[in-house]
Each structure stands twice: as C-alpha cells, then as structure tokens.
Amino acid sequence: MNPVIRVAREIVIGWIIKLFTSNDVVRYETLKLVIEEIKQKKILGDTAELGVYKGDFAKKINAHFPDKKLFLFDTFSGFDERDVKTELKMGYNITKTGDFSNSNIELVLKKMKYRENCIVKKGWFPETAEGIDERFSFVSIDADLFEPIYAGLMFFYPLLQKGGYIFVHDYNGKTYAAKEAVQKFSKEFNIPYVPLNDICGSVIFSK
Ligand SMILES: C[S@@+](CC[C@H](N)C(=O)[O-])C[C@H]1O[C@@H](n2cnc3c(N)ncnc32)[C@H](O)[C@@H]1O
C-alpha cells in the first residue's frame, strides 16, 4: 500500500476507535461492576488483555488492580497476515495486514498507573502465549479478528478462575468475524455468554 495512504488510514482508524470507544459508558461501567465482584469475592489470578493497541482499555484494568499482574498481548505491528487471510476467506474484506500498527510499548506503558505490574508479550498470539501457565481472574479479548479471538478463548478460558470473567469486544460489529469466533467456541464447548449493549457489542464469559 502507498505509504501516504497507509498513514492516512491509520489516522482515520485511530479517530474511529477513539470516537466509538472512549465514551462507551456501558462497557466501562460493566467493567467496574465485574471488578467489584472479583475484589469482593477475592478471586485470585492475574489479568490480561489480548489486543492492546494504544492501551486505553488496558490502563483501566491496570488502575483497578494494584496487586495483580497485567499481561499485555499485542503484535505492536498491527494485524498479522495469517489472521487477515482467514478474514478475507470469510468475506470480511475491509481488513488489511498492519492495521493498528501505529502504537508502541512505551506509549502503552506510560499510561499505566502500576507499570511494574505489566508484562508485555509482543508478537503474534497464540505464539506469545507459550510458557504461560498463570491463572486469570479478568481477561479482555479485543483483537477484532476471528483467529486471535478464537485462539484467545481456547487459551484463556481453561485458565480462568472460578468467579473470573472474559470480555470479548466487537461481537456485534459488522467489520470483522468476531461473532463467528465467539459462537464457534461457545457451541464447541457448550459454554454460554452474555451479550452486552455497549457500542461494539461485547460479550462476557464467566466461570
Ligand atoms: C481494536 S485494537 C485494540 C484496542 C484496545 N483494546 C483499546 O481498547 O484501545 C486491536 C489490536 O489487536 C491486535 N492484534 C490483532 N490480532 C493479533 C494477534 N494475532 N496477536 C497479537 N495482537 C493482535 C492488533 O495489533 C491491535 O492492536
């Protein structure tokens, strides 16, 4: 892609993300309620986000949990070609390799209140999950595309503590195959979820 078009595309994507997600009262207020449950019930286990981008949702997780590790999974170079191939095959044609590449680890870490709790896993998920056998109390999966969302659920759900939660973003978006990934996982393992009336239509898995 022409580099000027690439930069313009990244700027527009950034604006859209900010516009649609920074005032998402339902998403943020639900996050607070879920966090209160985890704290009140003293659910053990770390936290994670798969799909961090500039860290605007991750910083909220971090700020609420001064005593839990936060694993930050992202390529930090945007969508991977392998995942984009699947989207295209499924008929989601807007997706481009490298979308969301205009971020970096330093920018993300600067936003974190408890930076010392952050463990950055840079690279392609699920490869970056290798060797992790922690248990989790809260996970946000916000990687947009079918492959990482499905792989994220396969990886994190078995590691979720009883009383823990997984948020998956974009379930009701029309741009990516997020809904297909959630439904495939739910159907295969007979695990229910609750849809949320936030801006991009998240779902919540609990255990
Ligand atoms: C919509 S953005 C995340 C937005 C962020 N959670 C927020 O609320 O500001 C999606 C992110 O998922 C990352 N991503 C997508 N597929 C991935 C994969 N297979 N491995 C790692 N990161 C991935 C992209 O690099 C991008 O930064």
Side-chain angles (χ1 to χ4, degrees):
M1 190 189 284
N2 176 313
V4 179
I5 296 177
R6 150 77 48 215
V7 171
R9 188 183 160 87
E10 285 296 312
I11 291 170
V12 172
I13 289 174
W15 282 343
I16 293 172
I17 289 279
K18 235 185 162 66
L19 186 71
F20 280 102
T21 59
S22 59
N23 296 316
D24 194 339
V25 178
V26 175
R27 188 181 185 206
Y28 293 142
E29 292 303 311
T30 309
L31 174 69
K32 275 194 210 157
L33 291 176
V34 156
I35 286 172
E36 267 173 40
E37 290 287 312
I38 292 171
K39 286 186 173 175
Q40 193 230 321
K41 291 175 184 161
K42 298 188 175 25
I43 307 297
L44 298 176
D46 292 317
T47 64
E49 181 163 64
L50 164 56
V52 173
Y53 187 40
K54 294 186 178 176
D56 289 326
F57 195 68
K59 76 178 179 197
K60 293 184 190 291
I61 306 171
N62 176 258
H64 281 294
F65 288 115
D67 50 1
K68 286 186 190 291
K69 281 190 258 174
L70 171 60
F71 287 82
L72 298 166
F73 292 91
D74 206 297
T75 59
F76 293 102
S77 56
F79 291 156
D80 187 277
E81 196 177 7
R82 290 164 278 192
D83 301 335
V84 170
K85 237 184 214 166
T86 304
E87 294 292 302
L88 296 179
K89 264 196 229 150
M90 295 174 85
Y92 293 87
N93 298 320
I94 200 170
T95 314
K96 296 248 178 308
T97 300
D99 278 355
F100 294 101
S101 58
N102 60 341
S103 182
N104 63 70
I105 294 170
E106 199 45 40
L107 173 98
V108 169
L109 290 179
K110 267 191 191 147
K111 295 181 181 176
M112 300 297 160
K113 187 169 177 189
Y114 305 107
R115 187 180 169 140
E116 68 282 5
N117 287 348
C118 296
I119 297 162
V120 178
K121 292 287 180 181
K122 177 179 159 62
W124 185 64
F125 189 94
E127 280 176 2
T128 46
E130 258 177 50
I132 291 176
D133 62 356
E134 268 78 1
R135 294 292 174 271
F136 292 91
S137 53
F138 180 82
V139 177
S140 161
I141 299 180
D142 189 5
D144 296 350
L145 311 180
F146 180 91
E147 294 287 0
I149 293 176
Y150 182 73
L153 286 168
M154 292 292 284
F155 177 72
F156 285 112
Y157 193 83
L159 299 178
L160 194 68
Q161 294 281 13
K162 197 170 180 312
Y165 296 88
I166 299 178
F167 277 29
V168 186
H169 203 224
D170 292 308
Y171 179 77
N172 274 317
K174 302 278 177 255
T175 327
Y176 308 114
K179 182 173 269 183
E180 280 90 331
V182 167
Q183 290 186 346
K184 179 173 157 62
F185 175 80
S186 169
K187 198 170 167 197
E188 271 175 4
F189 300 97
N190 198 20
I191 298 171
Y193 54 88
V194 179
L196 205 63
N197 189 23
D198 62 352
I199 289 173
C200 295
S202 297
V203 299
I204 303 176
F205 286 91
S206 61
K207 206 184 240 184

